[in-house]
Amino acid sequence: MALKLVFTEYFDITETKMEQHGALNICLNADLPLFIDPFLLFASDKKEYKIQHDKIVNHLISLKEIAKNDGDNANLSLFKFPEIKQNWLGLCKYGNNGKGLGVKFAKDIISAFNGFYSNFGSETVSDTSHIEKLTLVGSGVGKDFISDFSTNLMFEFLLEYTESFAKKYLKPHQIKTFSVRCVYDEDLMVWKPREFELPFFFLEENGDFILLTPMDILTKDEAFICHNDLVGNFRNVANSIGNYSLRESVNAYFQKTLPVLPKKKDIELAVSKTINQYPEILDYYIRKKELEKDKSKKISSEKLDQLKNELIKTLGDFTKIILEESEFFNTRPTSYDESLKRANYLKDVIENNDGYRVFYHKGKAIASEDTVQRIFRLTWYATPFDVNAEVNNGRGPADYKISHGSGDSTIVEFKLAKSTSLKKNLENQTVIYKKASKSINDIKVILCYTKFEIGKVNRILKKIDQEGAENIVIIDASPKVSASVAG
C-alpha cells in the first residue's frame, strides 16, 4: 500500500511544479502548523497581495460600523467565520477540523469595536490599518482570528490560485467542479457561491476539494505584529514616538508602574496599564513594524524553511524509508499490543533502517516531541483502531489514546530525553491520565539524541524501579557510523 501523505505524492507530480507556482506542498493527513499572516500581504511587492490586504481591512471596517451602529443587537452571523479546513493549515495533528470564529468571537469583536478599538480604521500614525491590532491587548480577540479571518476574506483569491494550478499541472480525473460560497455581496450582506475546478481527493468516494496556499504569505507561530513582540520591544516602541511630550509621558508612566525588580509578569502588566492609559502607543508600534516590513519577509521565509526541514521533509523521508509497504496495515490485536508493536516498529526504523537521519539537518538534531508524535501517527494509516491525538481526559491532554471499543484503550506518551522534567513525567504523567480516562494500559516513548541521554534515561528508570519495563520504549536516534566507515 502506497502512502500518499503530501499533495505531490497524492497527485503524482514533482515538487518543482509546486515551487514554480509558489504553493506549499501540504500534508493531506493532518494540518501543518502554519498560518496566513496578513502583514506579509501588506509587505509584499505583489499588487494582488496588496489588494487582498485592503479587502481584509475594509471588510473589518464595515463590520466595525455595524457593531457601533447596532451594538448588542448586531446580527451575529455577520461576525462568525468558519474555519476553511481544505487548506490543511492549523493545529490539528490528525485531520483538519478546527473551530473557526464562532459566537464568542462575534460578541468579543462587537464589544471591542464599541470599546478600546473604536478608532480602528481611522488611524493617522500608521500607513494603513492592520487587523493584528485587535489582538495586541486584552479584547478577547485571540491570535487565531488573524489567520481564520484572513483566509475567509481571501477565500475567492485562494480558490482562483488553486484552480490555476490545477488547470496547468493536474490530470482531468484529478480535478472536479465545486460550488463554493466565497463571494461577499456588500448590498445583501451575504456570501454567494461561485464554481471552481479544483483538485480533490479523487481516490476517495465523494472526496472533498483541496485548497493550496502561496508560501510567501505563511508564517509559523506568531504573526509579525503580535502581543509578545509588543511586550518584548515596548521600551524601543516608546522611545520611537516622535511626539516628545507623549514619549516622556509614556516612559514616565511605564517606569512608575514597574516594581523595583520586575519579573516577566510585572512587565506585561505594566505594558498593559500603559497602553490603556495611552492607547495611541499601538499605532506607533504598528508604524515601527511597517518600517521593518522587509524583515517580516525574511523571518517568515526562515520559519517556513525550518518547518519544511523539521516536519514536511521528515514525514516524506520517513515514509520513503519503510512505510510505503507495511505489515501493520493488516494487523488487529488489542490496542496495547498494537500500540507497543508500532512503537517498537518506530524504534526499529530509526535505529536499524537509517530512520535517524530524518531527525537531523546539517548535523543538528531538529525533531521535537511534536515531530515524533506526527510520525507515530503515520504508522496507524488505514487502521481499524480509533487514534485520537492530544485527547483531553479531564487532567490535561495526553499525546495519543488508542482504542478499539469502550473497553480497550491505551495511552501513548512521547518525550525527549533532554527534557528537564523527564523523571517527574515518567513517574506521574501517564498514571494521572489513566485514572482520568479509565484507560487500562500505557506506553511511554523516549527519543534520545546521544549516548549520554540514553544513559540518563536508564539511570532514571533504575531509580524509579522501571528498568527494562516493556511499556517504556527508548529510541536511540544518535548518528550511526556506516559499516563501510567502521570497517
Side-chain angles (χ1 to χ4, degrees):
M1 179 184 295
L3 283 176
K4 300 179 182 295
L5 297 170
V6 296
F7 188 90
T8 49
E9 292 172 350
Y10 195 93
F11 290 91
D12 192 26
I13 60 173
T14 64
E15 290 189 21
T16 302
K17 292 178 180 178
M18 301 290 289
E19 292 171 358
Q20 288 173 347
H21 200 68
L24 178 70
N25 190 17
I26 51 177
C27 176
L28 300 179
N29 177 262
D31 281 349
L32 291 174
L34 290 168
F35 309 91
I36 290 178
D37 185 347
F39 191 85
L40 294 173
L41 299 172
F42 165 81
S44 176
D45 295 326
K46 298 179 180 179
K47 182 180 178 180
E48 61 269 31
Y49 285 179
K50 292 184 180 295
I51 290 173
Q52 294 305 310
H53 184 268
D54 290 344
K55 181 179 179 181
I56 291 167
V57 170
N58 290 336
H59 190 88
L60 200 54
I61 291 173
S62 70
L63 290 180
K64 187 199 80 169
E65 294 306 312
I66 294 172
K68 294 190 74 172
N69 292 333
D70 298 345
D72 292 338
N73 296 319
N75 182 356
L76 292 182
S77 65
L78 297 176
F79 296 83
K80 293 192 293 183
F81 298 87
E83 186 197 41
I84 297 174
K85 65 179 183 177
Q86 291 88 352
N87 64 0
W88 290 87
L89 303 176
L91 297 175
C92 292
K93 288 186 179 177
Y94 179 62
N96 63 337
N97 286 315
K99 296 179 180 179
L101 305 173
V103 174
K104 183 181 183 303
F105 166 78
K107 292 181 177 179
D108 284 341
I109 200 167
I110 290 171
S111 176
F113 281 144
N114 282 286
F116 192 82
Y117 290 108
S118 60
N119 75 327
F120 183 85
S122 57
E123 298 88 352
T124 57
V125 175
S126 57
D127 281 347
T128 185
S129 299
H130 296 266
I131 71 168
E132 303 94 305
K133 182 179 180 180
L134 275 70
T135 69
L136 293 178
V137 294
S139 62
V141 180
K143 65 180 183 180
D144 291 347
F145 136 79
I146 296 173
S147 187
D148 284 342
F149 187 86
S150 300
T151 306
N152 271 273
L153 268 295
M154 291 182 64
F155 201 7
E156 185 178 16
F157 169 81
L158 295 172
L159 288 163
E160 291 173 346
Y161 177 81
T162 304
E163 182 180 57
S164 66
F165 177 90
K167 289 181 175 180
K168 186 174 182 179
Y169 294 114
L170 301 186
K171 300 178 179 66
H173 72 278
Q174 298 173 328
I175 304 171
K176 183 178 176 181
T177 300
F178 290 85
S179 178
V180 186
R181 289 186 178 276
C182 63
V183 182
Y184 187 69
D185 187 316
E186 294 184 5
D187 295 326
L188 298 176
M189 292 192 293
V190 295
W191 291 91
K192 292 184 174 181
R194 179 184 159 190
E195 288 191 346
F196 296 88
E197 295 179 58
L198 302 169
F200 74 111
F201 286 96
F202 62 92
L203 296 176
E204 301 176 11
E205 186 177 355
N206 299 318
D208 196 7
F209 70 87
I210 299 167
L211 192 67
L212 297 178
T213 307
M215 288 188 290
D216 55 358
I217 63 171
L218 291 172
T219 190
K220 181 177 179 287
D221 306 318
E222 300 276 13
F224 190 63
I225 295 176
C226 64
H227 174 76
N228 288 336
D229 180 71
L230 169 62
V231 172
N233 292 285
F234 187 78
R235 292 182 189 275
N236 290 334
V237 174
N239 290 328
S240 72
I241 297 175
N243 184 314
Y244 174 81
S245 177
L246 177 61
R247 182 173 69 246
E248 291 300 304
S249 297
V250 167
N251 280 319
Y253 188 91
F254 179 64
Q255 198 61 41
K256 182 180 69 174
T257 310
L258 286 173
V260 178
L261 297 173
K263 297 180 179 178
K264 182 179 178 181
K265 64 178 182 180
D266 298 320
I267 296 173
E268 290 182 350
L269 181 60
V271 169
S272 179
K273 287 182 176 179
T274 307
I275 291 173
N276 278 292
Q277 185 70 22
Y278 302 98
E280 55 266 50
I281 293 173
L282 297 184
D283 295 331
Y284 282 97
Y285 164 67
I286 290 174
R287 176 56 182 160
K288 186 174 184 297
K289 300 302 284 185
E290 287 180 339
L291 294 173
E292 299 171 348
K293 65 180 183 180
D294 289 339
K295 187 189 298 184
S296 70
K297 291 180 279 189
K298 182 175 183 294
I299 292 173
S300 174
S301 178
E302 290 173 349
K303 287 182 178 180
L304 191 59
D305 286 344
Q306 180 186 22
L307 181 123
K308 286 163 67 178
N309 286 323
E310 291 187 7
L311 185 57
I312 302 174
K313 185 177 184 299
T314 299
L315 295 180
D317 288 349
F318 190 79
T319 59
K320 289 175 184 176
I321 289 172
I322 203 152
L323 285 182
E324 291 180 350
E325 297 291 334
S326 175
E327 61 181 281
F328 288 93
F329 299 146
N330 301 313
T331 56
R332 298 193 182 189
T334 65
S335 67
Y336 175 79
D337 290 338
E338 183 74 341
S339 299
L340 185 62
K341 183 180 290 187
R342 291 175 193 250
N344 280 310
Y345 178 57
L346 184 66
K347 172 182 171 73
D348 182 63
V349 171
I350 293 171
E351 293 183 351
N352 302 319
N353 290 278
D354 285 342
Y356 76 92
R357 295 180 186 276
V358 304
F359 295 135
Y360 291 84
H361 180 61
K362 295 182 179 179
K364 181 182 178 182
I366 59 172
S368 62
E369 290 176 6
D370 178 80
T371 304
V372 186
Q373 290 166 19
R374 289 174 184 267
I375 287 177
F376 180 70
R377 181 62 183 81
L378 302 186
T379 69
W380 294 90
Y381 185 81
T383 177
F385 286 84
D386 185 19
V387 183
N388 288 313
E390 291 196 336
V391 61
N392 194 316
N393 295 309
R395 297 296 295 274
D399 289 345
Y400 283 100
K401 181 179 179 182
I402 315 299
S403 56
H404 196 279
S406 59
D408 179 11
S409 60
T410 298
I411 284 176
V412 184
E413 289 287 328
F414 292 85
K415 296 297 170 190
L416 295 182
K418 65 181 180 181
S419 170
T420 56
S421 59
L422 180 64
K423 182 175 182 294
K424 181 179 178 181
N425 286 329
L426 285 173
E427 290 177 318
N428 301 322
Q429 194 172 47
T430 308
V431 174
I432 291 174
Y433 295 144
K434 283 175 64 179
K435 288 180 179 178
S437 67
K438 296 182 175 61
S439 176
I440 58 173
N441 297 306
D442 71 282
I443 294 170
K444 305 176 187 73
V445 181
I446 307 169
L447 187 72
C448 303
Y449 278 126
T450 66
K451 299 300 182 184
F452 174 80
E453 289 181 353
I454 294 173
K456 169 191 170 181
V457 173
N458 284 326
R459 287 191 296 273
I460 291 174
L461 294 179
K462 186 174 183 179
K463 193 168 185 178
I464 64 175
D465 197 27
Q466 291 290 306
E467 192 175 24
E470 177 189 63
N471 66 328
I472 299 179
V473 179
I474 302 172
I475 298 179
D476 178 5
S478 62
K480 310 297 188 296
V481 179
S482 67
S484 60
V485 173

